[in-house]
Structures are given as C-alpha cells and as structure tokens.
Amino acid sequence: MLMEPASQSSKPFKNSIDIFPWNDNFKTGLTQIDDQHRVLVSLLNKLASHVAFRSETLSLAEVFDALTDYTIYHFKSEEAIWAKAFSEDRSMAEHLAVHEHFIQTLTGLKEARKNTSSDQVTHDVLEFLTRWLASHILEKDRFMAYTVLAMQEGLTLEEAKAQAHQQMNGVTRTLINIIMSLYSVLSSNTLHLMRKLDEHQKMEEAYRKQRRRMQHLARFDALTGLPNRALLTEKVQEIMDLFDRSRNILAIIHLDLDGFKVINDTYGHEVGDRVLIIMAERIRRIVRERDIVSRLGGDDFIVVIRDIPDFDACIPWLASFLTAAEESISLNEGRTLNLSASLGVTFYPQSEQITPDQLFRQADQALYQAKQAGKNCYHVFDMAHDHEVRDHLENLEHIRQGLERREFVLYYQPKVNLRTGAILGVEALIRWQHPHKGLLLPAQFLPVVENHPLALALGNWVMDTALNQIEVWMTQGLPLVVSVNVCGQQLQSPGFPQHLRDTLVHRQRDVARYLELEVLETSALEDISLVSKVIHDCISLGVQFSIDDFGTGYSSLAYLKRLPVHTLKIDQSFVRGMLENPEDLAILVGVLGLAEAFQMKVIAEGVETLDHGERLLDLGCEGAQGYAIAHPMPVDKIAGWAATWKAPTSWMFRPARSKGDLSSFMHVVRQ
C-alpha cells in the first residue's frame, strides 16, 4: 500500500526523500497540465523513498492503478489542449506516438510482475518514470505548453514555436541533466543491493520459520501435537494465578498406559506411536475445550479438568478415561491391541501453597499407587500420607546433616555392684545436640532411621566413638567396660564381624576386652541362626555380648541356649514395677533363675530408688544401673563421678536372703 510522504521533521534523518522536489522549474504555465504533472512527481518520490530506505509499505498493484488513472485522465485532457493548437502540425502526431509508447511500456511492466521480483519491477518503474519526467514532461510537454501560451498572446504557430525554443534554451537541458544525475546517484548499485536485500529477507524468513518451528516444538509434543510439560506448566500456573478459591476445584489426572513397553518391544515404535496418537485423540474427545490435555513423553499424559464442584464430579471423567483406554486398537492383517490405563489424581486448591510441578508429582505418586493396586484403576493422592512421608524424609536429611556436622555425642551411664559399689562398666547412650532443639534423647530420632541405611551409619559412629573413649580411659588408668547397643539391622548387615575386626586391629591391644555389645532380645529373635553365628564370630575377637531389655520378647530356654551371651539385662519396666506388681516381681525372679541356670551375669535396669536396690539385693541380684546410681552423663563427668561414687549404706549392709525366702516377698507384694 502506498503511504503519504513523511512530513518535515526537526530530526537529522527521515525515511523519505523528494528526489524531484516540486518547484517552478517543473511548471509549464498551464494549471491543468501542472496539476497532473504534480501527481506523477509525487508518485516518483514515493517510489524513490521506497528504493532508498525500504521504509514504506509499497503495493505495486496500487502503483500501476495510479499510473493507469494518470494515463487515462492526463493523456485525454492534455491531448485535447494540444489538438486545438497543433492539429495541422506533425508534432501532434509525434506526441500521440509517445503517449502510445508510454501505455505499451506500462503494460509490459505490469506483465513483468508475473516472472520478475517486486524489487526489480519497482526499480524498472522508477527508471521509466524518471526518464519520462526528464524527456517528455520537462522537454516536450513544456515546449508545447510554452507554444500554446504564446499563441494565446496572438502569435502564429511558427512564431510561438520560435519563442518557446528561445524560452527553453539552456535551462531545460540543465534541469534534465540534474534530474538524470540525481537518478543515477540513487540507482547506482541499488538494484544489486536490492537483490542482496531480497536474499537476506528470504534467509530471515526461513530463519523465522525455523525459529517458529523450534518454538512450537519447545511447547508442543511433536508426535501428538498436545502441549508438552513446559506449556502445561505455564498454563496451569496461569490458571492458579487467577484461581478463585471460593469457586470450583481443579483436577490434575496423570494417565499412563499399562504395558505400553511390551507393545513397543513386540510391534515396534511405529505401532507404539500410532497407539499414542489414537489415545491422545480419544482423550481430547472426552474433555471440554477449556480443559487441558498434555503429553509428558512416552505413554504419560496429564489431563487438567477445570471447574468441577468436588471429587464425586470427577469420577465420570475417570471412568471415561479408563473406558477409552480399554477400547481395542486395530492393526494390520486383522490384528487388534487391547490396553488399559492407570490414573493418579490430585486436586487444587490445597491447604498450603503449591506449584504446578508439585501437583504433577502428587498425581504421579497417586499413579504409582494405582499401579501397585493392580492397574486399570485410579488412585487419589493422600495428602496426610504425603505429609508423613515428606516429614520422614526431612527428618532423615536432618539426621544425616547432624552426623556430618558432628552434632551427635555419647553420654555414659554407669553399671555397678549394689553391695560392693564396684563399677562394672558404663553404657554408651547416643544423644543429639541439636542446634535449635537442644539435647535430644534417642527416642526422639532413632525411630526415624529404623530400617534405613542411616541406622548403620549412626551405629558405626557410636562404635568408633566408644572405642576411641575406651582407649582414652585405658591411657588414663581408668579401664571401663563400655556397652554399646547394636540394632538388629547393624548386627545382621553383611560383613559386620569383619568390619568389627577391621576396626579393632588398628587399636590398642586388649581394647576388645573392654567392649560389650548389647543386642535387643527382639532383634536376636528375628534370625536366631544368623545372630548366633555373628555373636560367635565377634566373641572370637574378645568382645563380650549381653541381651538388652530381656523379658520383653518371647524368652525361651531354646534361644538362650543357642546365644553365647555373657549377660542378661533385665528390662527396666519389670524392675520399676516389682515393688507394686506381683507379676513384674515374678518375671524378675524367673529371669534371675534363668541367668543362674545358664551361668550368666545379670544387670537390672531402672534402679531409681534405694528401695529398688534393696529389693534386688534381697533377690540376690547385685548388678544394676539406674538413676539411683547415676544419670547418663557426658564423658568429662565420668572420672569425677567414679572418684566419689560409693554404694549407699542400706545396700552395702543389706543381708543376703535365701531363695526360699522369695515366696514370702511374693506374698507380701500380693497383699
């Protein structure tokens, strides 16, 4: 489309040029002729601006329409004027021939558009009109106009021609030379540059097409044409940003075809791709225009159902997706495929802030549960369970970081002989010196690592730290047997005896004799054959073993016989309750009898009062630990405690009772 010439501006440059500025040099003196010439000069300047700056939108069709209008109107009106003065003169015939040549050239240029570039045609039109302006308008039309004006003053035709020649002598030729020089400057190398520019534009257009294709591929799945994960995330985020929580909910459904890998492996990827295309189309037919269907890759689809009131409203959609997946797919040679799908579902909004990626992960987790449940079904994401899992993983990570940052410490609780006050050893008890929560007891963090590799890492740390401390005390002349709790996972881990052997070989001589490993009774019973072998292998290294919390499991003579332990530790619940509960006292007496029968030592845990100690002594049990003796304490407190510890007088001088007197104790408790 042709544009109006740019207006004058104070800017130093503009994107238009009047290469032929209209002035008196162009005027013939005949107003009707000059007005038509001005139209042609304006058209020439527009063409020149386009060639020089490429800044105006140019429609060649409109250019030719304008030239046709100019030709029809100008030639007709001009020829009427000339005919009155030159009807008998040969110049009239010559002028008409020139007009006819203009029409033929214009027609040829119009036809050239079919096989010639627009830039070439534009350049040719500009050159033709410039030469027409110079040779015809400025010379022939001006001469004839001057002749007409002279005849209007009373001169004869020949006298008028002579006067016109005199008026044009020198000036006209100079003006024509100037115009052609200006055109030469403009057109010099212009066509070459225009062709280069055309090539460059074609390259740019090819680049733009490729870029649009790449942008499309970056946002859409190449196989199905569905939005990919990037575009899906963008669209869901837009929905969430504009979501009105007072209105309906959003359902995010992860659909996965069951056994799709088998199809690919059996029939090839071409058939697999066909299945995916068919499935994508089936899903699209089910949903509404405002819903979203996306392919994540493989046979994974995400469907976003908008504006549903509740979960129940989602059930028909889920049923439709399952039914669509079950529809058979025809292959060549009459073969068909029968499929099914599994669905994972989650919803938005939720009680906490969430991102689209988190919603997709929730749907994926629910999909996994549907697969585990037998496939061809749907499962709804369980937020409460997810919180538990996330909290558990977070706690595991905190424990791992705490181990790396050396936040764990060992406290030690002494074990003594109640009657003599002799220190039998200490039990190493792990504590977590949490940077924010303070000192945490084992019950606050050990359940988190149960059946997790971190349990082994913590167990190894406790073992190494306890052995280090044994060596320190040996050097200080305070040799103490240190009891270390070993969980069933650690005890039954492959290579535990070898790991212990490797740990001991680099330490001081005889350090093993001061190490006692405590095994929970319930852990020992999990795989008694394996545990028995492990204990035998460790005892061969010089390490002692004890059964911790004895009486809480399914105690039996058979397993006591198979486990080569040195000590039974009576669970503190029985010790604390023996003063009031006859059943606890009976269990305690039974354990003492088993220990004596198998020639094992006994340590009673949970001695919290003088009465507990006195009663144990009455039963013949002298080994004990508990708050009445000492609380668990940091390592730097042990030496000071050991230097000042003495057994209470009521324990030291407590007369020993015979086993026959136990029945009387039982009778008193029952009353």
Side-chain angles (χ1 to χ4, degrees), residues 265-473:
D265 294 343
T266 304
Y267 300 101
H269 289 284
E270 185 176 343
V271 172
D273 288 348
R274 182 183 171 192
V275 169
L276 294 175
I277 293 171
I278 292 173
M279 193 63 206
E281 184 57 35
R282 288 178 180 177
I283 297 173
R284 273 193 293 228
R285 288 201 303 265
I286 293 172
V287 301
R288 304 159 300 183
E289 185 175 349
R290 65 177 179 270
D291 300 323
I292 303 171
V293 182
S294 170
R295 180 181 175 229
L296 301 186
D299 58 324
D300 288 298
F301 296 86
I302 290 283
V303 184
V304 179
I305 305 297
R306 305 176 63 172
D307 300 326
I308 55 175
D310 50 36
F311 168 70
D312 290 340
C314 186
I315 294 178
W317 298 97
L318 303 177
S320 296
F321 295 143
L322 293 174
T323 300
E326 289 179 329
E327 294 179 20
S328 62
I329 296 176
S330 299
L331 299 179
N332 295 332
E333 300 175 359
R335 293 178 300 174
T336 59
L337 287 178
N338 294 305
L339 301 170
S340 65
S342 298
L343 309 176
V345 191
T346 191
F347 297 95
Y348 180 85
Q350 299 181 6
S351 59
E352 59 186 34
Q353 292 292 330
I354 194 168
T355 66
D357 281 338
Q358 289 173 319
L359 286 171
F360 303 153
R361 283 197 293 271
Q362 289 180 358
D364 183 62
Q365 291 175 32
L367 171 66
Y368 175 78
Q369 295 298 322
K371 294 281 190 183
Q372 294 297 107
K375 305 178 182 179
N376 195 25
C377 64
Y378 66 82
H379 185 87
V380 180
F381 177 75
D382 187 339
M383 182 63 71
H385 176 70
D386 180 65
H387 278 301
E388 291 178 3
V389 171
R390 279 194 288 167
D391 288 345
H392 181 69
L393 293 175
E394 189 174 293
N395 289 333
L396 282 172
E397 179 60 19
H398 289 164
I399 292 172
R400 186 191 64 78
Q401 292 176 357
L403 192 58
E404 288 182 354
R405 296 168 183 168
R406 300 184 179 182
E407 294 171 359
F408 290 94
V409 295
L410 287 186
Y411 273 46
Y412 296 89
Q413 186 175 31
K415 297 181 287 185
V416 300
N417 184 296
L418 298 174
R419 191 180 303 281
T420 66
I423 301 173
L424 304 178
V426 293
E427 180 178 4
L429 301 168
I430 191 171
R431 300 287 188 268
W432 186 0
Q433 190 62 58
H434 197 281
H436 306 299
K437 300 178 181 179
L439 192 68
L440 301 183
L441 298 176
Q444 294 173 274
F445 58 87
L446 285 185
V448 176
V449 301
E450 187 174 356
N451 298 321
H452 190 275
L454 265 177
L456 299 179
L458 280 176
N460 291 336
W461 177 85
V462 171
M463 183 79 72
D464 290 339
T465 305
L467 286 169
N468 290 341
Q469 190 56 50
I470 290 173
E471 290 186 306
V472 171
W473 281 329

Side-chain angles (χ1 to χ4, degrees), residues 92-374:
M92 183 63 186
E94 292 174 353
H95 209 84
L96 291 175
V98 172
H99 282 184
E100 182 63 30
H101 177 70
F102 182 96
I103 294 171
Q104 291 174 357
T105 303
L106 182 61
T107 302
L109 289 171
K110 290 172 68 174
E111 287 296 319
R113 288 185 300 165
K114 298 178 181 178
N115 303 311
T116 309
S117 69
S118 295
D119 284 339
Q120 177 68 62
V121 174
T122 301
H123 185 274
D124 292 344
V125 172
L126 178 60
E127 181 180 9
F128 168 65
L129 293 181
T130 302
R131 295 188 183 281
W132 175 265
L133 174 67
S135 65
H136 185 76
I137 292 177
L138 291 180
E139 189 170 8
K140 293 183 175 62
D141 279 358
R142 182 190 293 270
F143 172 77
M144 295 183 79
Y146 284 174
T147 300
V148 169
L149 290 173
M151 290 177 69
Q152 290 176 356
E153 294 176 357
L155 298 180
T156 65
L157 177 60
E158 293 303 322
E159 291 173 337
K161 282 184 177 182
Q163 180 175 310
H165 278 301
Q166 187 177 2
Q167 286 178 285
M168 294 179 61
N169 188 32
V171 176
T172 300
R173 177 48 53 190
T174 301
L175 183 59
I176 290 173
N177 290 339
I178 291 173
I179 287 176
M180 294 311 296
S181 295
L182 287 172
Y183 172 73
S184 178
V185 171
L186 175 65
S187 63
S188 177
N189 294 319
T190 299
L191 181 58
H192 174 73
L193 293 174
M194 290 168 66
R195 287 171 177 167
K196 288 294 184 184
L197 183 60
D198 184 61
E199 292 174 3
H200 179 69
Q201 287 177 329
K202 289 178 179 178
M203 291 176 62
E204 282 191 337
E205 180 58 28
Y207 168 75
R208 284 192 291 270
K209 287 182 179 179
Q210 180 66 13
R211 185 177 179 183
R212 287 193 294 268
R213 181 174 178 275
M214 295 303 294
Q215 289 174 337
H216 182 83
L217 291 176
R219 294 161 62 83
F220 291 89
D221 174 49
L223 179 65
T224 62
L226 296 174
N228 62 12
R229 188 184 186 98
L231 183 56
L232 172 68
T233 303
E234 180 182 315
K235 286 180 173 290
V236 173
Q237 185 63 64
E238 289 175 358
I239 295 171
M240 293 168 66
D241 290 341
L242 300 174
F243 200 85
D244 184 353
R245 292 177 178 268
S246 65
R247 299 180 61 192
N248 292 338
I249 64 176
L250 199 68
I252 293 87
I253 304 164
H254 190 164
L255 183 150
D256 178 270
L257 297 177
D258 300 326
F260 180 73
K261 184 178 182 301
V262 176
I263 294 174
N264 265 340
D265 294 343
T266 304
Y267 300 101
H269 289 284
E270 185 176 343
V271 172
D273 288 348
R274 182 183 171 192
V275 169
L276 294 175
I277 293 171
I278 292 173
M279 193 63 206
E281 184 57 35
R282 288 178 180 177
I283 297 173
R284 273 193 293 228
R285 288 201 303 265
I286 293 172
V287 301
R288 304 159 300 183
E289 185 175 349
R290 65 177 179 270
D291 300 323
I292 303 171
V293 182
S294 170
R295 180 181 175 229
L296 301 186
D299 58 324
D300 288 298
F301 296 86
I302 290 283
V303 184
V304 179
I305 305 297
R306 305 176 63 172
D307 300 326
I308 55 175
D310 50 36
F311 168 70
D312 290 340
C314 186
I315 294 178
W317 298 97
L318 303 177
S320 296
F321 295 143
L322 293 174
T323 300
E326 289 179 329
E327 294 179 20
S328 62
I329 296 176
S330 299
L331 299 179
N332 295 332
E333 300 175 359
R335 293 178 300 174
T336 59
L337 287 178
N338 294 305
L339 301 170
S340 65
S342 298
L343 309 176
V345 191
T346 191
F347 297 95
Y348 180 85
Q350 299 181 6
S351 59
E352 59 186 34
Q353 292 292 330
I354 194 168
T355 66
D357 281 338
Q358 289 173 319
L359 286 171
F360 303 153
R361 283 197 293 271
Q362 289 180 358
D364 183 62
Q365 291 175 32
L367 171 66
Y368 175 78
Q369 295 298 322
K371 294 281 190 183
Q372 294 297 107

Side-chain angles (χ1 to χ4, degrees), residues 586-605:
I587 291 173
L588 190 59
V589 171
V591 172
L592 291 172
L594 284 174
E596 182 177 8
F598 286 93
Q599 297 182 341
M600 296 179 182
K601 300 175 184 177
V602 175
I603 297 292
E605 298 179 296

